[in-house]
Amino acid sequence: MSTFLHRLDSLVTSPAAQHIATAWRGMTNLLIPNPCALCIWSDAEIHQLCRVCLGLLKEQTRQIIQAQDFADALPLDLVTGQPLPVFAASFYTPEMAKLALNFKDHQRIKLARAFRPIMYRTLQHAAAHLGSSHYRLVPIPASGASMRKRGYNPVTTMLPRRLPGALAYDAGLLKTRWQIFAQTSHHGTGVQARRAASQKKFRLAHRHVPPAEPVILIDDVLTTGATLGAATKLLQSAGFDVAAAVVLSAVMPRS
Ligand SMILES: [Zn+2]
């Protein structure tokens, strides 16, 4: 299963996949001025989806999923042995995969308008479920290379501006390391090697005194959990209490 997930991980972020998406949209643009980011046959509204596809997105994000059991590289709680809780707004369905890929292309940045209410609801659900009143929300940062290429971080872009209850962002806390974690280390390696590679992904912005409130990490897609694992370990080593993670979608293991 993990090989499949690693392949999927590199596939959805591959330049080839993005070029195909761009070329395909180029063709359909001749017929429909503003094609829906999902079905591409209908005209899209402000959030870049047609009415039918927005309805489909709502349907697929109706039930918030506890996704920690599907990811084998999540950190385990030292006391309980349980993996870090991950709340996902949806499974990584073919539709969510297409939207996530499109969203990483600048021309589809307005999909954020469709994602923000979904993330709001998922964060609200996670906070209520975890039971503390205050949480510090820490988004997974984009690497320097992808920031230069896109000009934005898809994870922070899909977050709601206003937050439910006593949640607050700490978007600057995690930084990526400037030496970009080598893509080659993801090829043909097991979970161990990948875990080792991803531990070098992040650094803390500065020496923080860990605050009283626990952290909720935020990412777009959960595959193996290696990224959330690396972020959790770094934060824990600096004294932070990492309570959970919230993601837009989680990859299902193939049965
Ligand atoms: Zn559509």
Side-chain angles (χ1 to χ4, degrees):
M1 174 190 111
S2 42
T3 316
F4 161 69
L5 293 180
H6 295 155
R7 281 217 198 101
L8 184 65
D9 219 19
S10 50
L11 183 69
V12 294
T13 54
S14 77
Q18 308 217 345
H19 285 150
I20 292 166
T22 308
W24 178 242
R25 201 178 45 250
M27 285 197 298
T28 55
N29 274 358
L30 300 175
L31 309 171
I32 302 160
N34 182 27
C36 168
L38 190 52
C39 70
I40 67 166
W41 303 120
S42 306
D43 240 335
E45 298 184 11
I46 189 73
H47 36 59
Q48 310 231 309
L49 291 168
C50 72
R51 256 170 223 278
V52 174
C53 292
L54 184 66
L56 185 70
L57 178 64
K58 283 187 178 159
E59 188 57 43
Q60 292 198 357
T61 53
R62 184 147 301 172
Q63 179 89 50
I64 291 162
I65 302 149
Q66 293 245 226
Q68 62 271 18
D69 294 332
F70 305 126
D72 56 10
L74 284 172
L76 303 178
D77 186 283
L78 290 176
V79 179
T80 64
Q82 295 298 308
L84 181 78
V86 182
F87 299 85
S90 74
F91 280 117
Y92 196 67
T93 59
E95 293 79 17
M96 289 305 293
K98 188 170 178 187
L99 289 179
L101 183 62
N102 278 344
F103 181 50
K104 291 182 178 183
D105 179 333
H106 193 271
Q107 294 181 64
R108 292 301 194 180
I109 193 171
K110 284 182 182 162
L111 277 171
R113 293 177 192 234
F115 293 150
R116 281 181 199 135
I118 294 168
M119 290 306 286
Y120 184 98
R121 210 164 55 82
T122 313
L123 288 164
Q124 190 173 42
H125 175 95
H129 191 274
L130 293 165
S132 170
S133 55
H134 291 72
Y135 288 97
R136 177 170 295 240
L137 306 182
V138 179
I140 296 295
S143 72
S146 75
M147 281 301 284
R148 278 190 296 279
K149 190 171 130 235
R150 283 193 194 105
Y152 67 102
N153 176 355
V155 177
T156 50
T157 307
M158 71 179 186
L159 292 177
R161 308 272 158 85
R162 257 182 1 94
L163 285 169
L167 305 182
Y169 290 122
D170 192 346
L173 178 58
L174 277 182
K175 302 272 182 201
T176 50
R177 282 183 181 270
W178 67 268
Q179 66 269 50
I180 307 309
F181 42 98
Q183 287 291 334
T184 50
S185 66
H186 287 199
H187 276 286
T189 56
V191 169
Q192 290 300 330
R194 169 144 183 180
R195 208 175 273 164
S198 28
Q199 272 169 20
K200 294 184 205 124
K201 266 184 175 178
F202 307 116
R203 62 184 172 82
L204 291 176
H206 46 88
R207 288 205 172 274
H208 268 261
V209 176
E213 68 267 28
V215 166
I216 296 178
L217 291 167
I218 304 173
D219 205 355
D220 47 3
V221 179
L222 173 73
T223 51
T224 62
T227 299
L228 291 174
T232 300
K233 281 183 187 153
L234 177 65
L235 288 166
Q236 284 173 341
S237 71
F240 288 86
D241 172 18
V242 181
V246 165
V247 299
L248 182 61
S249 63
V251 172
M252 266 175 290
R254 285 192 302 186
S255 49

